[in-house]
Amino acid sequence: MTVAGPDGQPRCSWATSAPEYIQYHDEEWGREIRDDHGLFERMTLEGFQSGLSWITILRKRENFRKAFDNFDPRLIAAYGPEDFDRLMADPGIVRNRLKVNATISNARALLELADGELTEFLWSFQPIDRAAPKTSADVPATTPESIAMSKALKKKGFVFVGPTTAYALMQATGIVNDHLADCIAR
């Protein structure tokens, strides 16, 4: 069931508790991203969100972009111990050793792929013939596709991309459309 936002428009129930959520929901979440750089950024942010509220990541997003050189995988892949220390000392991001290391590892894994290969690979997990969810309860945390994506990403050297993170990535980048059936953004 959707919830009326401040403008009276029906939105997914999670999207109305803060202005940042409304903007993200209406302008980004579920919109197709079909480039390696954009997908890498979202994969990174979804990994950092793990165990936290998404609003925390949204509010720190610009800090993440500055701290991680605008998610340029070539620059991140070259990070050394001093970069790691700099990131761990940065109060503008989520300072988690595993997540920082995962970002560096994932940048390196991305560079092992051909240009555009990540995009083609991730979009190959798009489910076929999926009904629009009617309520939040109809939106899963994982799917067979996200489980398969997670396993396949790990085989390619990516880390911190479990099935739940993979599914959140699928939702955020339009690989699946989990806007509720009567949501304005559907």
Side-chain angles (χ1 to χ4, degrees):
M1 196 143 157
T2 54
V3 175
D7 58 1
Q9 296 295 317
R11 290 182 175 81
C12 298
S13 57
W14 62 266
T16 59
S17 64
E20 296 93 340
Y21 271 152
I22 293 170
Q23 181 178 2
Y24 176 69
H25 170 271
D26 290 1
E27 297 175 14
E28 290 185 67
W29 191 73
R31 306 233 186 216
E32 291 188 7
I33 297 175
R34 291 188 182 257
D35 69 89
D36 287 358
H37 183 266
L39 289 165
F40 175 68
E41 176 179 346
R42 296 315 191 293
M43 179 188 294
T44 302
L45 293 174
E46 292 297 344
F48 270 98
Q49 184 274 329
S50 183
L52 302 171
S53 170
W54 182 242
I55 197 74
T56 301
I57 304 305
L58 279 179
R59 289 179 175 157
K60 292 179 176 273
R61 187 185 202 175
E62 288 308 314
N63 295 332
F64 274 106
R65 285 177 173 153
K66 288 176 192 161
F68 284 100
D69 290 305
N70 203 32
F71 295 102
D72 183 326
R74 294 189 192 298
L75 295 175
I76 296 169
Y79 283 2
E82 58 286 338
D83 294 295
F84 177 83
D85 292 342
R86 170 184 59 81
L87 292 164
M88 291 304 297
D90 188 337
I93 66 168
V94 173
R95 295 174 289 181
N96 178 296
R97 291 180 173 282
L98 293 174
K99 295 174 182 182
V100 169
N101 278 326
T103 302
I104 297 166
S105 294
N106 289 346
R108 292 173 181 158
L110 175 56
L111 293 183
E112 293 295 316
L113 303 176
D115 189 40
E117 187 177 346
L118 180 66
T119 299
E120 185 178 323
F121 174 74
L122 293 177
W123 276 86
S124 74
F125 293 94
Q126 184 177 30
I128 298 169
D129 205 23
R130 199 161 168 269
K134 291 181 173 50
T135 71
S136 311
D138 297 331
V139 178
T142 65
T143 62
E145 294 86 3
S146 75
I147 293 167
M149 178 190 280
S150 172
K151 286 179 183 176
L153 280 166
K154 289 174 184 176
K155 283 182 183 174
K156 290 189 177 288
F158 289 86
V159 295
F160 223 84
V161 286
T164 303
T165 299
Y167 194 67
L169 175 64
M170 294 169 81
Q171 291 173 304
T173 60
I175 296 170
V176 296
N177 184 349
D178 274 343
H179 285 286
L180 300 181
D182 58 345
C183 174
I184 61 162
R186 178 114 193 130

